[in-house]
Structure formats: C-alpha cells, structure tokens
Short mmCIF file of all heavy atoms in Angstrom, two decimals:
data_model
loop_
_atom_site.label_atom_id
_atom_site.label_comp_id
_atom_site.label_asym_id
_atom_site.label_seq_id
_atom_site.Cartn_x
_atom_site.Cartn_y
_atom_site.Cartn_z
N ILE A 7 -1.59 2.15 6.85
CA ILE A 7 -2.28 3.44 6.80
C ILE A 7 -3.16 3.56 8.03
O ILE A 7 -3.83 2.61 8.44
CB ILE A 7 -3.04 3.59 5.49
CG1 ILE A 7 -3.58 5.00 5.35
CG2 ILE A 7 -4.15 2.55 5.37
CD1 ILE A 7 -4.11 5.31 3.91
N SER A 8 -3.18 4.75 8.61
CA SER A 8 -3.99 4.97 9.79
C SER A 8 -5.48 4.99 9.45
O SER A 8 -5.86 5.03 8.29
CB SER A 8 -3.60 6.30 10.44
OG SER A 8 -3.86 7.39 9.58
N TRP A 9 -6.28 4.96 10.49
CA TRP A 9 -7.74 4.92 10.28
C TRP A 9 -8.26 6.11 9.49
O TRP A 9 -9.21 6.02 8.73
CB TRP A 9 -8.48 4.81 11.60
CG TRP A 9 -8.40 6.05 12.44
CD1 TRP A 9 -7.46 6.36 13.39
CD2 TRP A 9 -9.29 7.16 12.40
NE1 TRP A 9 -7.73 7.60 13.96
CE2 TRP A 9 -8.86 8.11 13.36
CE3 TRP A 9 -10.44 7.46 11.66
CZ2 TRP A 9 -9.51 9.32 13.57
CZ3 TRP A 9 -11.10 8.66 11.88
CH2 TRP A 9 -10.62 9.58 12.84
N SER A 10 -7.62 7.27 9.69
CA SER A 10 -8.03 8.48 9.01
C SER A 10 -7.42 8.63 7.62
O SER A 10 -7.88 9.46 6.83
CB SER A 10 -7.67 9.74 9.83
OG SER A 10 -6.29 9.84 9.99
N GLY A 11 -6.37 7.86 7.35
CA GLY A 11 -5.70 7.93 6.07
C GLY A 11 -4.61 8.97 6.00
O GLY A 11 -3.97 9.10 4.93
N ASP A 12 -4.37 9.72 7.07
CA ASP A 12 -3.40 10.82 7.00
C ASP A 12 -1.99 10.41 7.46
O ASP A 12 -1.12 11.26 7.38
CB ASP A 12 -3.89 12.01 7.81
CG ASP A 12 -4.16 11.70 9.27
OD1 ASP A 12 -4.03 10.50 9.68
OD2 ASP A 12 -4.51 12.63 10.02
N ILE A 13 -1.80 9.18 7.89
CA ILE A 13 -0.50 8.70 8.26
C ILE A 13 -0.22 7.39 7.53
O ILE A 13 -1.08 6.49 7.57
CB ILE A 13 -0.36 8.48 9.76
CG1 ILE A 13 -0.61 9.78 10.53
CG2 ILE A 13 1.01 7.95 10.13
CD1 ILE A 13 -0.63 9.64 12.02
N THR A 14 0.90 7.27 6.88
CA THR A 14 1.26 6.07 6.14
C THR A 14 2.70 5.69 6.47
O THR A 14 3.53 6.50 6.83
CB THR A 14 1.14 6.26 4.63
OG1 THR A 14 1.95 7.35 4.21
CG2 THR A 14 -0.30 6.54 4.24
N TYR A 15 2.98 4.37 6.36
CA TYR A 15 4.31 3.83 6.57
C TYR A 15 4.61 2.84 5.46
O TYR A 15 3.70 2.15 4.98
CB TYR A 15 4.40 3.12 7.93
CG TYR A 15 4.14 4.00 9.10
CD1 TYR A 15 2.91 4.00 9.74
CD2 TYR A 15 5.13 4.83 9.62
CE1 TYR A 15 2.67 4.82 10.83
CE2 TYR A 15 4.89 5.65 10.69
CZ TYR A 15 3.65 5.62 11.31
OH TYR A 15 3.42 6.43 12.40
N TYR A 16 5.87 2.77 5.06
CA TYR A 16 6.28 1.87 4.00
C TYR A 16 7.58 1.15 4.39
O TYR A 16 8.45 1.72 5.03
CB TYR A 16 6.51 2.62 2.70
CG TYR A 16 5.28 3.30 2.14
CD1 TYR A 16 4.98 4.61 2.45
CD2 TYR A 16 4.40 2.58 1.33
CE1 TYR A 16 3.85 5.21 1.92
CE2 TYR A 16 3.27 3.17 0.79
CZ TYR A 16 3.01 4.49 1.11
OH TYR A 16 1.88 5.09 0.60
N ALA A 17 7.69 -0.07 3.96
CA ALA A 17 8.96 -0.76 4.02
C ALA A 17 9.95 -0.08 3.10
O ALA A 17 9.60 0.44 2.06
CB ALA A 17 8.80 -2.23 3.64
N ASP A 18 11.23 -0.10 3.51
CA ASP A 18 12.26 0.54 2.68
C ASP A 18 12.31 -0.04 1.28
O ASP A 18 12.61 0.65 0.32
CB ASP A 18 13.63 0.40 3.37
CG ASP A 18 13.76 1.27 4.60
OD1 ASP A 18 12.98 2.22 4.75
OD2 ASP A 18 14.66 1.00 5.40
N SER A 19 12.00 -1.32 1.18
CA SER A 19 12.11 -2.00 -0.12
C SER A 19 11.06 -1.53 -1.13
O SER A 19 11.26 -1.75 -2.34
CB SER A 19 11.96 -3.53 0.07
OG SER A 19 10.73 -3.85 0.66
N VAL A 20 9.98 -0.89 -0.67
CA VAL A 20 8.94 -0.48 -1.60
C VAL A 20 8.75 1.05 -1.59
O VAL A 20 7.97 1.55 -2.40
CB VAL A 20 7.61 -1.12 -1.28
CG1 VAL A 20 7.76 -2.66 -1.24
CG2 VAL A 20 7.02 -0.62 0.05
N LYS A 21 9.45 1.76 -0.72
CA LYS A 21 9.29 3.19 -0.61
C LYS A 21 9.60 3.88 -1.93
O LYS A 21 10.62 3.59 -2.55
CB LYS A 21 10.16 3.74 0.51
CG LYS A 21 9.83 5.12 0.99
CD LYS A 21 10.60 5.45 2.25
CE LYS A 21 10.27 4.51 3.39
NZ LYS A 21 11.01 4.86 4.65
N GLY A 22 8.71 4.75 -2.35
CA GLY A 22 8.86 5.46 -3.58
C GLY A 22 8.25 4.73 -4.78
O GLY A 22 8.13 5.33 -5.85
N ARG A 23 7.89 3.47 -4.61
CA ARG A 23 7.27 2.68 -5.69
C ARG A 23 5.83 2.32 -5.39
O ARG A 23 5.03 2.27 -6.29
CB ARG A 23 8.07 1.40 -5.93
CG ARG A 23 9.52 1.65 -6.36
CD ARG A 23 10.18 0.34 -6.79
NE ARG A 23 10.27 -0.62 -5.70
CZ ARG A 23 9.71 -1.83 -5.73
NH1 ARG A 23 9.07 -2.23 -6.81
NH2 ARG A 23 9.84 -2.66 -4.71
N PHE A 24 5.53 2.06 -4.14
CA PHE A 24 4.18 1.63 -3.73
C PHE A 24 3.48 2.77 -3.00
O PHE A 24 4.11 3.57 -2.28
CB PHE A 24 4.25 0.42 -2.78
CG PHE A 24 4.68 -0.89 -3.44
CD1 PHE A 24 5.24 -0.90 -4.70
CD2 PHE A 24 4.55 -2.05 -2.75
CE1 PHE A 24 5.67 -2.08 -5.28
CE2 PHE A 24 4.97 -3.25 -3.31
CZ PHE A 24 5.50 -3.29 -4.56
N THR A 25 2.15 2.81 -3.13
CA THR A 25 1.34 3.78 -2.46
C THR A 25 0.13 3.11 -1.84
O THR A 25 -0.64 2.44 -2.56
CB THR A 25 0.89 4.92 -3.39
OG1 THR A 25 2.01 5.53 -3.96
CG2 THR A 25 0.10 5.96 -2.61
N ILE A 26 -0.05 3.27 -0.54
CA ILE A 26 -1.25 2.77 0.13
C ILE A 26 -2.25 3.88 0.29
O ILE A 26 -1.87 5.04 0.57
CB ILE A 26 -0.88 2.13 1.49
CG1 ILE A 26 -2.11 1.43 2.08
CG2 ILE A 26 -0.30 3.17 2.45
CD1 ILE A 26 -1.78 0.61 3.33
N SER A 27 -3.51 3.57 0.11
CA SER A 27 -4.55 4.57 0.28
C SER A 27 -5.82 3.88 0.70
O SER A 27 -5.92 2.64 0.65
CB SER A 27 -4.77 5.36 -1.03
OG SER A 27 -5.21 4.49 -2.08
N ARG A 28 -6.79 4.65 1.15
CA ARG A 28 -8.06 4.05 1.55
C ARG A 28 -9.19 5.00 1.21
O ARG A 28 -9.05 6.21 1.19
CB ARG A 28 -8.07 3.72 3.05
CG ARG A 28 -7.98 4.91 3.98
CD ARG A 28 -7.73 4.45 5.44
NE ARG A 28 -8.83 3.62 5.94
CZ ARG A 28 -8.72 2.87 7.01
NH1 ARG A 28 -7.59 2.80 7.71
NH2 ARG A 28 -9.76 2.15 7.41
N ASP A 29 -10.31 4.39 0.97
CA ASP A 29 -11.56 5.13 0.73
C ASP A 29 -12.58 4.59 1.69
O ASP A 29 -13.17 3.54 1.45
CB ASP A 29 -12.00 4.96 -0.72
CG ASP A 29 -13.20 5.83 -1.08
OD1 ASP A 29 -13.92 6.28 -0.15
OD2 ASP A 29 -13.41 6.07 -2.28
N ASN A 30 -12.75 5.28 2.80
CA ASN A 30 -13.64 4.77 3.85
C ASN A 30 -15.08 4.73 3.41
O ASN A 30 -15.86 3.91 3.91
CB ASN A 30 -13.49 5.60 5.11
CG ASN A 30 -12.15 5.39 5.80
OD1 ASN A 30 -11.46 4.40 5.53
ND2 ASN A 30 -11.77 6.30 6.69
N ALA A 31 -15.47 5.63 2.51
CA ALA A 31 -16.85 5.61 2.00
C ALA A 31 -17.13 4.35 1.23
O ALA A 31 -18.27 3.87 1.17
CB ALA A 31 -17.09 6.82 1.12
N LYS A 32 -16.09 3.74 0.62
CA LYS A 32 -16.24 2.50 -0.11
C LYS A 32 -15.76 1.27 0.66
O LYS A 32 -15.78 0.16 0.12
CB LYS A 32 -15.46 2.59 -1.45
CG LYS A 32 -15.99 3.64 -2.41
CD LYS A 32 -15.22 3.62 -3.70
CE LYS A 32 -15.77 4.65 -4.68
NZ LYS A 32 -15.02 4.66 -5.93
N ASN A 33 -15.29 1.50 1.90
CA ASN A 33 -14.79 0.40 2.74
C ASN A 33 -13.70 -0.38 2.02
O ASN A 33 -13.67 -1.62 2.06
CB ASN A 33 -15.91 -0.52 3.15
CG ASN A 33 -16.96 0.13 4.03
OD1 ASN A 33 -16.64 1.06 4.82
ND2 ASN A 33 -18.19 -0.31 3.93
N THR A 34 -12.78 0.35 1.41
CA THR A 34 -11.77 -0.29 0.57
C THR A 34 -10.41 0.34 0.83
O THR A 34 -10.28 1.56 0.98
CB THR A 34 -12.12 -0.17 -0.91
OG1 THR A 34 -13.37 -0.77 -1.15
CG2 THR A 34 -11.09 -0.87 -1.78
N VAL A 35 -9.38 -0.51 0.87
CA VAL A 35 -8.01 -0.05 0.94
C VAL A 35 -7.30 -0.51 -0.32
O VAL A 35 -7.60 -1.59 -0.86
CB VAL A 35 -7.29 -0.56 2.20
CG1 VAL A 35 -7.23 -2.09 2.22
CG2 VAL A 35 -5.89 0.05 2.36
N TYR A 36 -6.35 0.28 -0.80
CA TYR A 36 -5.66 0.01 -2.05
C TYR A 36 -4.15 -0.04 -1.84
O TYR A 36 -3.60 0.59 -0.91
CB TYR A 36 -5.97 1.09 -3.09
CG TYR A 36 -7.43 1.32 -3.35
CD1 TYR A 36 -8.13 2.31 -2.68
CD2 TYR A 36 -8.11 0.52 -4.25
CE1 TYR A 36 -9.47 2.54 -2.93
CE2 TYR A 36 -9.45 0.74 -4.51
CZ TYR A 36 -10.13 1.74 -3.82
OH TYR A 36 -11.46 1.96 -4.08
N LEU A 37 -3.49 -0.75 -2.72
CA LEU A 37 -2.06 -0.70 -2.83
C LEU A 37 -1.67 -0.56 -4.29
O LEU A 37 -1.81 -1.51 -5.05
CB LEU A 37 -1.42 -1.96 -2.21
CG LEU A 37 0.13 -1.94 -2.18
CD1 LEU A 37 0.63 -0.90 -1.15
CD2 LEU A 37 0.67 -3.34 -1.83
N ARG A 38 -1.23 0.65 -4.63
CA ARG A 38 -0.74 0.89 -5.98
C ARG A 38 0.74 0.52 -6.03
O ARG A 38 1.52 1.07 -5.25
CB ARG A 38 -0.93 2.35 -6.36
CG ARG A 38 -0.22 2.79 -7.64
CD ARG A 38 -0.67 2.04 -8.89
NE ARG A 38 -2.03 2.37 -9.25
CZ ARG A 38 -2.67 1.85 -10.30
NH1 ARG A 38 -2.07 0.95 -11.01
NH2 ARG A 38 -3.90 2.25 -10.53
N MET A 39 1.10 -0.37 -6.93
CA MET A 39 2.45 -0.85 -7.05
C MET A 39 2.99 -0.45 -8.42
O MET A 39 2.46 -0.91 -9.44
CB MET A 39 2.51 -2.35 -6.84
CG MET A 39 1.91 -2.82 -5.55
SD MET A 39 2.05 -4.61 -5.32
CE MET A 39 0.99 -5.18 -6.62
N ASN A 40 4.00 0.38 -8.44
CA ASN A 40 4.67 0.79 -9.65
C ASN A 40 6.09 0.28 -9.70
O ASN A 40 6.68 -0.14 -8.69
CB ASN A 40 4.69 2.33 -9.71
CG ASN A 40 3.32 2.95 -9.85
OD1 ASN A 40 2.42 2.37 -10.45
ND2 ASN A 40 3.17 4.15 -9.30
N SER A 41 6.67 0.31 -10.89
CA SER A 41 8.06 -0.12 -11.11
C SER A 41 8.32 -1.47 -10.46
O SER A 41 9.30 -1.66 -9.73
CB SER A 41 9.03 0.96 -10.55
OG SER A 41 8.80 2.20 -11.16
N LEU A 42 7.47 -2.41 -10.73
CA LEU A 42 7.56 -3.71 -10.09
C LEU A 42 8.82 -4.46 -10.49
O LEU A 42 9.27 -4.36 -11.62
CB LEU A 42 6.32 -4.56 -10.42
CG LEU A 42 5.08 -4.18 -9.63
CD1 LEU A 42 3.82 -4.72 -10.28
CD2 LEU A 42 5.16 -4.66 -8.19
N LYS A 43 9.36 -5.18 -9.54
CA LYS A 43 10.57 -5.98 -9.71
C LYS A 43 10.28 -7.44 -9.46
O LYS A 43 9.35 -7.79 -8.75
CB LYS A 43 11.67 -5.51 -8.73
CG LYS A 43 11.94 -4.02 -8.79
CD LYS A 43 12.93 -3.64 -7.66
CE LYS A 43 13.23 -2.15 -7.70
NZ LYS A 43 14.13 -1.79 -6.58
N PRO A 44 11.06 -8.35 -10.05
CA PRO A 44 10.85 -9.77 -9.77
C PRO A 44 10.85 -10.12 -8.29
O PRO A 44 10.12 -11.01 -7.86
CB PRO A 44 12.01 -10.45 -10.51
CG PRO A 44 12.31 -9.53 -11.63
CD PRO A 44 12.11 -8.16 -11.08
N GLU A 45 11.63 -9.41 -7.50
CA GLU A 45 11.66 -9.66 -6.07
C GLU A 45 10.40 -9.22 -5.33
O GLU A 45 10.26 -9.52 -4.13
CB GLU A 45 12.91 -9.03 -5.41
CG GLU A 45 13.09 -7.57 -5.77
CD GLU A 45 14.07 -7.34 -6.91
OE1 GLU A 45 13.99 -8.07 -7.92
OE2 GLU A 45 14.90 -6.44 -6.80
N ASP A 46 9.52 -8.54 -6.03
CA ASP A 46 8.21 -8.23 -5.46
C ASP A 46 7.24 -9.39 -5.53
O ASP A 46 6.14 -9.31 -4.98
CB ASP A 46 7.58 -7.03 -6.17
CG ASP A 46 8.37 -5.73 -5.93
OD1 ASP A 46 8.83 -5.50 -4.79
OD2 ASP A 46 8.52 -4.96 -6.90
N THR A 47 7.61 -10.43 -6.25
CA THR A 47 6.76 -11.58 -6.40
C THR A 47 6.46 -12.22 -5.03
O THR A 47 7.35 -12.57 -4.28
CB THR A 47 7.40 -12.64 -7.31
OG1 THR A 47 7.53 -12.11 -8.64
CG2 THR A 47 6.57 -13.91 -7.38
N ALA A 48 5.17 -12.33 -4.72
CA ALA A 48 4.74 -12.87 -3.42
C ALA A 48 3.22 -12.97 -3.40
O ALA A 48 2.54 -12.43 -4.31
CB ALA A 48 5.22 -11.97 -2.30
N VAL A 49 2.72 -13.60 -2.36
CA VAL A 49 1.29 -13.49 -2.05
C VAL A 49 1.13 -12.24 -1.19
O VAL A 49 1.81 -12.09 -0.17
CB VAL A 49 0.76 -14.72 -1.33
CG1 VAL A 49 -0.70 -14.54 -0.95
CG2 VAL A 49 0.92 -15.97 -2.20
N TYR A 50 0.23 -11.37 -1.58
CA TYR A 50 0.00 -10.12 -0.87
C TYR A 50 -1.28 -10.23 -0.05
O TYR A 50 -2.33 -10.63 -0.57
CB TYR A 50 -0.09 -8.95 -1.83
CG TYR A 50 1.26 -8.48 -2.34
CD1 TYR A 50 1.98 -9.28 -3.23
CD2 TYR A 50 1.81 -7.29 -1.90
CE1 TYR A 50 3.21 -8.88 -3.65
CE2 TYR A 50 3.06 -6.88 -2.35
CZ TYR A 50 3.77 -7.69 -3.24
OH TYR A 50 5.01 -7.29 -3.67
N TYR A 51 -1.20 -9.83 1.21
CA TYR A 51 -2.32 -9.89 2.14
C TYR A 51 -2.66 -8.50 2.66
O TYR A 51 -1.76 -7.71 2.99
CB TYR A 51 -1.97 -10.76 3.35
CG TYR A 51 -1.64 -12.20 3.02
CD1 TYR A 51 -0.33 -12.57 2.71
CD2 TYR A 51 -2.62 -13.18 3.05
CE1 TYR A 51 0.00 -13.87 2.45
CE2 TYR A 51 -2.31 -14.48 2.77
CZ TYR A 51 -1.00 -14.83 2.48
OH TYR A 51 -0.67 -16.16 2.20
N CYS A 52 -3.94 -8.21 2.75
CA CYS A 52 -4.34 -7.04 3.47
C CYS A 52 -4.79 -7.44 4.86
O CYS A 52 -5.22 -8.58 5.08
CB CYS A 52 -5.43 -6.24 2.78
SG CYS A 52 -7.06 -7.02 2.65
N ALA A 53 -4.71 -6.54 5.80
CA ALA A 53 -5.04 -6.81 7.19
C ALA A 53 -5.57 -5.58 7.90
O ALA A 53 -5.28 -4.45 7.49
CB ALA A 53 -3.81 -7.39 7.91
#
C-alpha cells in the first residue's frame, strides 16, 4: 500500500481474499485475510 493509502497491490494468490489498509493516525497497517486456505500457512511479515 502506498504512503497515502490510495494505491494497493496484491499477489494473484490472495487477490479478492486479502485486503491491505492503513491508518496513519494510528501508525498502523492491517492485513485482513478472508477465506483462508491451508496454503496460506506461513510466517507473515510487515515491512
């Protein structure tokens, strides 16, 4: 997600299921993950 939050990109494997968002007032970025699959199992890192 861009610094302003108005541009987002997704991997094809998660498109339509995951949503990235940010709240700059709270200094926080989120990843909402829906319809999770066993192949989503991993360590997730923010950067």
Side-chain angles (χ1 to χ4, degrees):
I7 187 167
S8 64
W9 70 268
S10 64
D12 57 356
I13 301 174
T14 58
Y15 300 99
Y16 297 94
D18 289 341
S19 60
V20 307
K21 195 171 299 181
R23 300 188 298 121
F24 291 11
T25 303
I26 188 171
S27 62
R28 66 190 298 164
D29 186 340
N30 289 343
K32 296 182 178 180
N33 296 328
T34 302
V35 62
Y36 305 95
L37 185 69
R38 167 62 69 180
M39 304 183 293
N40 294 328
S41 302
L42 283 163
K43 306 174 181 179
E45 50 263 44
D46 295 319
T47 296
V49 177
Y50 283 72
Y51 300 88
C52 69

